[in-house]
Amino acid sequence: MSSVIAATRFSVLDRSRTREGHSNAEALRDTVRFAQQLEELGYHRFWVSEHHGVPGVAGSAPTVLAAAVAGATRRIRVGTGGVMLPNHRPLVVAEQFGVLESLFPGRIDMGLGRSVGFTDGVRKALGRGKDDADDFAAQLDELLGWFAGTSPTGVHARPAEGLTVPPFVLALGEGAAIAARAGLPMVIGDLRNREKMRHGIDHYRAHFRPSPWASEPYVVISGTIAVAATPEEARRLLVPEAWSMAHSRTRGTFPPLPPADRVVSLPMTPKERGFYESGLTGHIAGTEDQVAHELETVLKETGAQEVLVTTSTYDRDALLDSYRRLASITSD
């Protein structure tokens, strides 16, 4: 194994993707079981996501799901990728993470994003608008203030105040600048757009201001990584998600994952085919040797300290095998 891979932490974000013919409840139970399996494989963190009103994602309440994951595991760090701060009052978020940290001390991460919803209907249901994302920096300051006990309201967040829950900023768009100004670790994706990712990382490092939370920049790069016995099998892992993304781009809904066998036989319009083929490209996918080479390249380009793997697919056995193969690359 290369020295740059050996020096890098590898973690996982699971969005509790639903699958055709399977329930939301199954997707959530799959997430908890998956965390147990990945802990045994030696991954550093396991994060869950926040999506509202999306047919293909059961992960809508990340702090609730994180509690289930932390309760079912022993060592792996558990967190959110992320809690979408504009959807919540910072006091409530601080209290939720304070409870998690109190129950599972030293294992909880607080990944925070600025998205306000997938569609206009979801944003309306949440009582939020697109402009609410513009307040993310102020909301972030308020949230961290609850842990420090510096709120000007005179109110104290229980049990959050005085606890240390590592915060991470999910950096899309303005996120890199906000993470740098706040002096927080940054999670940036995706691996498909390396130039944009490097630009964000360069900006973050150039403008980073040390804080009580981080004395120096900490970069986590995120994206899909698929490892299999052959390049064709690795590409097959990407098929269900690529089709779901193409469907969402052309029909406005993000559906449950279909089996790869069904996707390859589906008729597609030229527009759908274009989005589908695009969805299959740019990821890190292949055999162990191919993936190790590509990982070494991207880690040298970015100088990232950690990789957050976000792979989803219909075949759960093949997915676990991919993560097992990746673990063998990163721990040999």
Side-chain angles (χ1 to χ4, degrees):
M1 179 175 55
S2 76
S3 58
V4 68
I5 292 177
T8 304
R9 290 168 167 167
F10 283 81
S11 301
V12 176
L13 168 65
D14 187 74
R15 290 175 292 154
S16 303
R17 288 289 271 117
T18 57
R19 299 180 292 153
E20 285 186 0
H22 298 265
S23 67
N24 288 319
E26 285 180 89
L28 294 169
R29 287 194 290 267
D30 283 344
T31 289
V32 175
R33 184 164 54 250
F34 197 38
Q36 294 172 319
Q37 293 165 331
L38 295 176
E39 178 177 65
E40 293 306 311
L41 290 174
Y43 284 90
H44 183 62
R45 308 181 204 275
F46 187 91
W47 283 5
V48 295
S49 65
E50 176 181 338
H51 294 275
H52 299 286
V54 181
V57 181
S60 58
T63 54
V64 177
L65 186 52
V69 169
T73 54
R74 302 183 305 279
R75 302 178 306 277
I76 195 168
R77 296 194 64 86
V78 177
T80 55
V83 164
M84 297 302 148
L85 200 49
N87 293 337
H88 312 278
R89 293 302 308 165
L91 170 61
V92 175
V93 175
E95 290 171 337
Q96 290 173 345
F97 279 98
V99 169
L100 285 169
E101 176 63 22
S102 297
L103 292 172
F104 309 102
R107 291 181 56 207
I108 301 300
D109 300 321
M110 186 167 58
L112 305 161
R114 60 193 293 270
S115 173
V116 288
F118 189 63
T119 65
D120 289 339
V122 169
R123 288 189 288 272
K124 183 177 181 180
L126 290 169
R128 298 293 185 268
K130 289 183 178 181
D131 292 345
D132 287 307
D134 297 337
D135 297 329
F136 178 66
Q139 294 163 339
L140 185 61
D141 287 342
E142 181 183 342
L143 173 61
L144 299 181
W146 289 117
F147 287 92
T150 57
S151 171
T153 64
V155 175
H156 297 274
R158 311 291 188 197
E161 187 173 310
L163 297 180
T164 300
V165 182
F168 296 74
V169 172
L170 276 61
L172 295 172
E174 290 297 310
I178 292 170
R181 286 196 301 270
L184 299 180
M186 176 185 71
V187 182
I188 188 166
D190 65 41
L191 293 170
R192 300 179 63 206
N193 193 335
R194 306 285 176 85
E195 184 176 351
K196 182 178 179 181
M197 187 172 66
R198 286 195 299 269
H199 178 77
I201 292 171
D202 290 344
H203 180 92
Y204 167 71
R205 288 200 175 108
H207 295 87
F208 183 87
R209 299 194 301 206
S211 75
W213 301 95
S215 59
E216 56 188 24
Y218 189 89
V219 174
V220 184
I221 57 174
S222 69
T224 295
I225 301 175
V227 196
T230 67
E232 293 75 23
E233 289 178 55
R235 178 183 170 89
R236 187 180 183 80
L237 284 166
L238 307 175
V239 164
E241 188 78 37
W243 183 85
S244 291
M245 291 298 296
H247 189 280
S248 72
R249 296 287 297 275
T250 55
R251 305 187 192 184
T253 60
F254 193 62
L257 293 172
D261 285 344
R262 193 172 77 76
V263 173
V264 296
S265 62
L266 285 174
M268 299 185 198
T269 66
K271 187 175 183 179
E272 286 173 327
R273 177 68 62 181
F275 283 130
Y276 170 68
E277 294 293 343
S278 175
L280 291 171
T281 62
H283 307 290
I284 296 179
T287 64
E288 285 93 328
D289 287 345
Q290 290 170 325
V291 167
H293 176 74
E294 190 67 21
L295 272 175
E296 184 170 14
T297 299
V298 74
L299 289 171
K300 286 179 177 177
E301 287 177 353
T302 62
Q305 288 100 324
E306 189 169 340
V307 177
L308 183 68
V309 188
T310 63
T311 311
S312 298
T313 196
Y314 180 90
D315 187 331
R316 300 293 304 185
D317 290 337
L319 181 64
L320 179 60
D321 182 65
S322 175
Y323 277 101
R324 186 178 290 116
R325 290 174 184 271
L326 178 60
S328 73
I329 295 170
T330 62
S331 60
D332 284 347

